[in-house]
Short mmCIF file of all heavy atoms in Angstrom, two decimals:
data_model
loop_
_atom_site.label_atom_id
_atom_site.label_comp_id
_atom_site.label_asym_id
_atom_site.label_seq_id
_atom_site.Cartn_x
_atom_site.Cartn_y
_atom_site.Cartn_z
N ASN A 285 112.32 117.84 97.50
CA ASN A 285 112.83 117.43 98.83
C ASN A 285 112.49 118.42 99.93
O ASN A 285 113.35 118.81 100.72
CB ASN A 285 114.33 117.17 98.74
CG ASN A 285 114.67 116.04 97.77
OD1 ASN A 285 113.84 115.21 97.46
ND2 ASN A 285 115.86 116.05 97.24
N LYS A 286 111.20 118.84 99.99
CA LYS A 286 110.77 119.72 101.03
C LYS A 286 109.87 119.02 102.03
O LYS A 286 109.27 119.70 102.91
CB LYS A 286 110.00 120.91 100.40
CG LYS A 286 110.80 121.78 99.48
CD LYS A 286 111.81 122.58 100.32
CE LYS A 286 112.51 123.66 99.44
NZ LYS A 286 113.51 124.44 100.27
N GLY A 287 109.77 117.71 101.96
CA GLY A 287 108.88 116.98 102.90
C GLY A 287 107.46 117.05 102.56
O GLY A 287 106.60 116.77 103.37
N ASP A 288 107.12 117.39 101.28
CA ASP A 288 105.70 117.38 100.84
C ASP A 288 105.15 115.95 100.78
O ASP A 288 105.94 115.01 100.52
CB ASP A 288 105.57 118.04 99.47
CG ASP A 288 105.98 119.49 99.42
OD1 ASP A 288 106.09 120.10 100.53
OD2 ASP A 288 106.21 120.01 98.32
N GLU A 289 103.85 115.83 101.03
CA GLU A 289 103.21 114.54 100.83
C GLU A 289 101.90 114.77 100.02
O GLU A 289 101.20 115.78 100.25
CB GLU A 289 102.89 113.87 102.15
CG GLU A 289 104.15 113.35 102.89
CD GLU A 289 103.78 112.52 104.04
OE1 GLU A 289 103.29 113.06 105.09
OE2 GLU A 289 103.95 111.29 103.99
N VAL A 290 101.62 113.83 99.18
CA VAL A 290 100.36 113.87 98.39
C VAL A 290 99.33 112.98 99.08
O VAL A 290 99.62 111.81 99.48
CB VAL A 290 100.59 113.37 96.95
CG1 VAL A 290 99.28 113.22 96.19
CG2 VAL A 290 101.56 114.28 96.20
N LEU A 291 98.14 113.56 99.28
CA LEU A 291 97.05 112.80 99.80
C LEU A 291 96.18 112.23 98.61
O LEU A 291 95.69 113.01 97.79
CB LEU A 291 96.13 113.69 100.66
CG LEU A 291 94.81 113.03 101.16
CD1 LEU A 291 95.11 111.94 102.20
CD2 LEU A 291 93.89 114.09 101.78
N LEU A 292 96.11 110.96 98.55
CA LEU A 292 95.27 110.33 97.53
C LEU A 292 93.93 109.91 98.17
O LEU A 292 93.92 109.26 99.20
CB LEU A 292 96.00 109.03 97.00
CG LEU A 292 96.11 108.79 95.53
CD1 LEU A 292 96.89 109.92 94.87
CD2 LEU A 292 96.81 107.46 95.30
N VAL A 293 92.82 110.25 97.49
CA VAL A 293 91.49 109.84 98.00
C VAL A 293 90.80 109.13 96.84
O VAL A 293 90.71 109.59 95.74
CB VAL A 293 90.68 111.04 98.43
CG1 VAL A 293 89.27 110.61 98.86
CG2 VAL A 293 91.35 111.89 99.49
N GLY A 294 90.40 107.89 97.09
CA GLY A 294 89.72 107.05 96.14
C GLY A 294 88.75 106.11 96.75
O GLY A 294 88.67 105.98 98.00
N PHE A 295 88.05 105.38 95.94
CA PHE A 295 87.04 104.40 96.41
C PHE A 295 87.54 102.97 96.16
O PHE A 295 87.93 102.68 95.03
CB PHE A 295 85.67 104.61 95.77
CG PHE A 295 84.59 103.85 96.38
CD1 PHE A 295 84.04 104.21 97.62
CD2 PHE A 295 84.09 102.65 95.76
CE1 PHE A 295 83.00 103.44 98.18
CE2 PHE A 295 83.08 101.90 96.33
CZ PHE A 295 82.51 102.29 97.53
N LEU A 296 87.59 102.16 97.23
CA LEU A 296 88.06 100.76 97.10
C LEU A 296 86.81 99.93 96.72
O LEU A 296 85.98 99.61 97.59
CB LEU A 296 88.65 100.30 98.40
CG LEU A 296 89.50 99.05 98.36
CD1 LEU A 296 90.72 99.26 97.43
CD2 LEU A 296 89.97 98.69 99.78
N ASP A 297 86.69 99.62 95.44
CA ASP A 297 85.55 98.92 94.92
C ASP A 297 85.93 97.45 94.72
O ASP A 297 86.94 97.13 94.03
CB ASP A 297 85.15 99.52 93.56
CG ASP A 297 84.04 98.76 92.91
OD1 ASP A 297 82.86 98.97 93.29
OD2 ASP A 297 84.35 97.97 92.01
N PRO A 298 85.18 96.49 95.29
CA PRO A 298 85.59 95.09 95.18
C PRO A 298 85.69 94.54 93.78
O PRO A 298 86.58 93.76 93.45
CB PRO A 298 84.48 94.35 96.01
CG PRO A 298 83.40 95.27 96.19
CD PRO A 298 83.98 96.69 96.11
N ASP A 299 84.80 94.97 92.87
CA ASP A 299 84.89 94.53 91.48
C ASP A 299 86.16 94.97 90.80
O ASP A 299 86.82 94.27 90.06
CB ASP A 299 83.64 95.00 90.67
CG ASP A 299 82.37 94.33 91.13
OD1 ASP A 299 82.45 93.16 91.61
OD2 ASP A 299 81.31 94.90 90.97
N HIS A 300 86.51 96.27 91.07
CA HIS A 300 87.72 96.80 90.47
C HIS A 300 88.98 96.13 91.02
O HIS A 300 89.89 95.77 90.28
CB HIS A 300 87.82 98.32 90.69
CG HIS A 300 89.06 98.93 90.12
ND1 HIS A 300 89.26 99.15 88.78
CD2 HIS A 300 90.21 99.38 90.73
CE1 HIS A 300 90.47 99.69 88.59
NE2 HIS A 300 91.04 99.87 89.75
N VAL A 301 88.99 95.93 92.34
CA VAL A 301 90.15 95.29 92.97
C VAL A 301 90.32 93.88 92.41
O VAL A 301 91.43 93.43 92.11
CB VAL A 301 89.93 95.18 94.50
CG1 VAL A 301 91.05 94.32 95.13
CG2 VAL A 301 90.07 96.60 95.11
N ARG A 302 89.20 93.22 92.16
CA ARG A 302 89.28 91.81 91.63
C ARG A 302 89.82 91.84 90.23
O ARG A 302 90.72 91.03 89.84
CB ARG A 302 87.83 91.20 91.57
CG ARG A 302 87.84 89.74 91.12
CD ARG A 302 86.44 89.19 90.90
NE ARG A 302 85.63 89.32 92.06
CZ ARG A 302 84.58 90.17 92.20
NH1 ARG A 302 84.28 90.93 91.22
NH2 ARG A 302 83.87 90.15 93.28
N ARG A 303 89.44 92.81 89.39
CA ARG A 303 89.93 92.91 88.05
C ARG A 303 91.43 93.21 88.01
O ARG A 303 92.19 92.61 87.27
CB ARG A 303 89.22 94.02 87.27
CG ARG A 303 87.79 93.60 86.82
CD ARG A 303 87.21 94.58 85.83
NE ARG A 303 87.03 95.95 86.36
CZ ARG A 303 85.96 96.35 86.99
NH1 ARG A 303 84.92 95.56 87.15
NH2 ARG A 303 85.87 97.58 87.46
N VAL A 304 91.88 94.12 88.88
CA VAL A 304 93.30 94.42 88.98
C VAL A 304 94.08 93.22 89.45
O VAL A 304 95.13 92.83 88.87
CB VAL A 304 93.53 95.66 89.90
CG1 VAL A 304 95.05 95.84 90.10
CG2 VAL A 304 92.94 96.91 89.32
N ALA A 305 93.60 92.58 90.51
CA ALA A 305 94.31 91.42 91.09
C ALA A 305 94.43 90.26 90.05
O ALA A 305 95.43 89.54 90.07
CB ALA A 305 93.57 90.90 92.32
N MET A 306 93.43 90.10 89.17
CA MET A 306 93.47 88.99 88.20
C MET A 306 94.10 89.37 86.89
O MET A 306 94.14 88.52 86.00
CB MET A 306 92.01 88.49 87.99
CG MET A 306 91.38 87.91 89.26
SD MET A 306 92.31 86.54 90.02
CE MET A 306 92.20 85.35 88.74
N GLY A 307 94.55 90.59 86.78
CA GLY A 307 95.26 91.03 85.54
C GLY A 307 96.61 90.40 85.44
O GLY A 307 97.17 89.79 86.41
N PRO A 308 97.24 90.48 84.29
CA PRO A 308 98.51 89.78 84.03
C PRO A 308 99.61 90.23 84.96
O PRO A 308 100.52 89.46 85.26
CB PRO A 308 98.82 90.10 82.56
CG PRO A 308 98.02 91.33 82.25
CD PRO A 308 96.80 91.20 83.12
N VAL A 309 99.62 91.53 85.43
CA VAL A 309 100.67 92.01 86.25
C VAL A 309 100.66 91.40 87.65
O VAL A 309 101.70 91.08 88.23
CB VAL A 309 100.66 93.54 86.36
CG1 VAL A 309 101.77 94.04 87.32
CG2 VAL A 309 100.88 94.18 84.92
N PHE A 310 99.43 91.19 88.22
CA PHE A 310 99.29 90.82 89.61
C PHE A 310 98.74 89.40 89.78
O PHE A 310 98.73 88.89 90.91
CB PHE A 310 98.39 91.77 90.33
CG PHE A 310 98.96 93.19 90.34
CD1 PHE A 310 98.34 94.16 89.52
CD2 PHE A 310 99.98 93.55 91.12
CE1 PHE A 310 98.80 95.44 89.54
CE2 PHE A 310 100.45 94.80 91.14
CZ PHE A 310 99.90 95.80 90.36
N LYS A 311 98.38 88.73 88.73
CA LYS A 311 97.70 87.48 88.89
C LYS A 311 98.51 86.41 89.66
O LYS A 311 97.99 85.69 90.54
CB LYS A 311 97.26 86.89 87.54
CG LYS A 311 96.39 85.63 87.65
CD LYS A 311 95.88 85.20 86.27
CE LYS A 311 94.99 83.99 86.41
NZ LYS A 311 94.45 83.58 85.09
N ASP A 312 99.80 86.33 89.38
CA ASP A 312 100.61 85.28 90.03
C ASP A 312 100.71 85.55 91.55
O ASP A 312 100.78 84.61 92.32
CB ASP A 312 102.05 85.29 89.41
CG ASP A 312 102.06 84.72 88.05
OD1 ASP A 312 101.02 84.06 87.68
OD2 ASP A 312 103.04 84.90 87.29
N ASP A 313 100.76 86.85 91.94
CA ASP A 313 100.94 87.20 93.36
C ASP A 313 99.58 87.18 94.08
O ASP A 313 99.54 86.75 95.26
CB ASP A 313 101.54 88.56 93.56
CG ASP A 313 103.04 88.56 93.17
OD1 ASP A 313 103.67 87.53 93.36
OD2 ASP A 313 103.54 89.57 92.70
N TRP A 314 98.51 87.53 93.43
CA TRP A 314 97.26 87.84 94.12
C TRP A 314 96.14 86.91 93.76
O TRP A 314 95.12 86.90 94.42
CB TRP A 314 96.81 89.26 93.82
CG TRP A 314 97.62 90.31 94.54
CD1 TRP A 314 98.91 90.24 95.03
CD2 TRP A 314 97.20 91.65 94.83
NE1 TRP A 314 99.29 91.42 95.59
CE2 TRP A 314 98.26 92.31 95.49
CE3 TRP A 314 96.00 92.30 94.64
CZ2 TRP A 314 98.13 93.56 95.94
CZ3 TRP A 314 95.93 93.65 95.07
CH2 TRP A 314 97.00 94.25 95.70
N GLY A 315 96.22 86.21 92.65
CA GLY A 315 95.08 85.49 92.12
C GLY A 315 94.36 84.66 93.11
O GLY A 315 93.14 84.77 93.33
#
Side-chain angles (χ1 to χ4, degrees):
N285 300 337
K286 295 291 187 180
D288 297 343
E289 290 190 288
V290 172
L291 174 68
L292 227 62
V293 179
F295 190 76
L296 197 62
D297 176 79
D299 290 334
H300 178 75
V301 171
R302 186 189 303 111
R303 285 193 296 270
V304 173
M306 295 305 292
V309 175
F310 298 107
K311 186 174 182 179
D312 289 344
D313 287 328
W314 286 25

